Amino acid sequence: PLFSRAIVKKISKSYVNGLTTSNLGKPDYDKAVAQHEQYVEALKKCGLEVIVLEADESFPDSTFVEDTAVLTSNSAIITNPGAESRNGEIKEIREVVKKYYDKLEEIQSPGFLDGGDVLQIDDHFYVGLSARTNREGAEQFAKIQKKYGYETTIVPLEKFFHLKTGVAYLGNKDLVVAGEFVDHLVFNDYNKIVVEPVEEYAANCIRINDYVVIPKGFGDTKQKIEAAGYTVIELDMSEIQKQDGGLSCLSLRF
Ligand code: CIR
């Protein structure tokens, strides 16, 4: 998939008090900021123009911009994030996205949807039903995408936080899968690159132009992705992981 731009948002001081289920402890703010800066550098190395939004103290989780919109080559959908403390994040994102798209679509209550639950594979979307995305939200999403010629498959999640916590598409039919997706029938038509349970966090990786960006410290997964023919960039994500975030969550690529 070819991308030319990314939207990211700086980490606020309130970040350390954001939502999390990870039990990995409180993130170190300075370290988190440094990791975010390296993330931005990596996006640039991948050839993207990076649009950097300022931090917003009133939204601790707002650095995870992926959850607020779904951008494709022909449409932009502003989501309706399922966590109450995050829902207001869409206000700023709507204004920013508007500059790049003529017309915005939106998910509306009682439908809820987080972008982290949306995986695009060519002209097909997979949408996870999670604690953040409900069936009504997923169905609204499917109906919107249908207008643009895209199909959608709804995938109820068993354990994963978001759909993309456990699956990433690299292109060329190569799919990185972990946990409940390893044997999931819905992904049987793809070449599965299987992430071992101890490396599960590495399943959230991102293909950007000539590179695959993966979290640092997951050697087995790195080797498998390289063996499949990809050039890997590794990034230290420790302070992001503590808040349940992954590589995909930190940007909107389009
Ligand atoms: C949250 O709970 O919403 C944030 N702490 C983490 C969001 C991660 N986003 C993503 O996986 N797309």
Side-chain angles (χ1 to χ4, degrees):
L2 279 172
F3 297 110
S4 55
R5 294 187 178 106
I7 298 169
V8 303
K9 190 168 166 64
K10 287 184 184 171
I11 292 182
S12 61
K13 295 210 168 66
S14 60
Y15 172 74
V16 303
N17 300 316
L19 301 173
T20 185
T21 59
S22 78
N23 277 320
L24 294 172
K26 238 191 195 350
D28 177 305
Y29 168 74
D30 292 323
K31 216 170 150 187
V33 167
Q35 290 176 356
H36 192 263
E37 284 168 359
Q38 284 178 2
Y39 180 84
V40 170
E41 286 316 304
L43 296 183
K44 289 180 182 163
K45 182 172 174 178
C46 295
L48 304 187
E49 173 201 335
V50 185
I51 299 143
V52 183
L53 309 180
E54 288 308 316
D56 185 343
E57 293 301 332
S58 51
F59 293 108
D61 289 295
S62 57
T63 192
F64 300 117
V65 287
E66 171 177 67
D67 293 320
T68 60
V70 177
L71 309 179
T72 72
S73 52
N74 48 26
S75 82
I77 300 181
I78 303 301
T79 68
N80 195 19
E84 213 179 331
S85 68
R86 300 200 54 191
N87 197 264
E89 294 174 20
I90 55 177
K91 208 172 154 221
E92 181 191 16
I93 294 294
R94 185 186 291 121
E95 293 312 309
V96 176
V97 170
K98 236 189 216 168
K99 296 179 193 158
Y100 300 93
Y101 288 86
D102 294 341
K103 198 178 159 295
L104 304 187
E105 305 276 359
E106 55 184 46
I107 305 298
Q108 286 166 330
S109 298
F112 289 94
L113 181 132
D114 271 14
D117 281 316
V118 177
L119 173 71
Q120 183 180 4
I121 302 184
D122 305 322
D123 55 4
H124 200 120
F125 282 96
Y126 294 87
V127 178
L129 299 185
S130 68
R132 302 290 177 81
T133 298
N134 61 13
R135 191 166 286 275
E136 168 69 26
E139 281 170 1
Q140 284 180 28
F141 180 92
K143 202 169 158 194
I144 295 167
Q145 293 298 358
K146 185 104 192 151
K147 292 193 299 186
Y148 299 94
Y150 295 110
E151 290 302 315
T152 298
T153 301
I154 295 176
V155 185
L157 303 186
E158 286 161 24
K159 290 195 188 136
F160 279 126
F161 174 55
H162 276 133
L163 182 84
K164 274 183 290 190
T165 312
V167 58
Y169 185 59
L170 303 184
N172 320 305
K173 294 252 158 207
D174 294 331
L175 196 67
V176 177
V177 287
E180 65 200 65
F181 299 134
V182 173
D183 297 313
H184 204 303
L185 295 176
V186 85
F187 297 125
N188 267 359
D189 291 342
Y190 298 97
N191 310 320
K192 290 177 177 170
I193 297 177
V194 175
V195 175
E196 296 303 323
V198 290
E199 297 205 353
E200 192 175 285
Y201 182 68
N204 184 277
C205 54
I206 37 178
R207 165 83 190 271
I208 308 176
N209 302 335
D210 295 337
Y211 297 94
V212 176
V213 187
I214 70 167
K216 207 185 200 100
F218 301 91
D220 182 67
T221 306
K222 176 176 187 260
Q223 208 180 337
K224 285 174 180 165
I225 292 174
E226 285 175 343
Y230 298 94
T231 305
V232 164
I233 297 176
E234 283 180 290
L235 291 178
D236 191 352
M237 292 287 287
S238 65
E239 307 315 294
I240 309 299
Q241 186 179 9
K242 286 176 181 169
Q243 301 304 74
D244 286 338
L247 287 159
S248 73
C249 324
L250 290 177
S251 61
L252 282 164
R253 303 159 299 281
F254 62 110

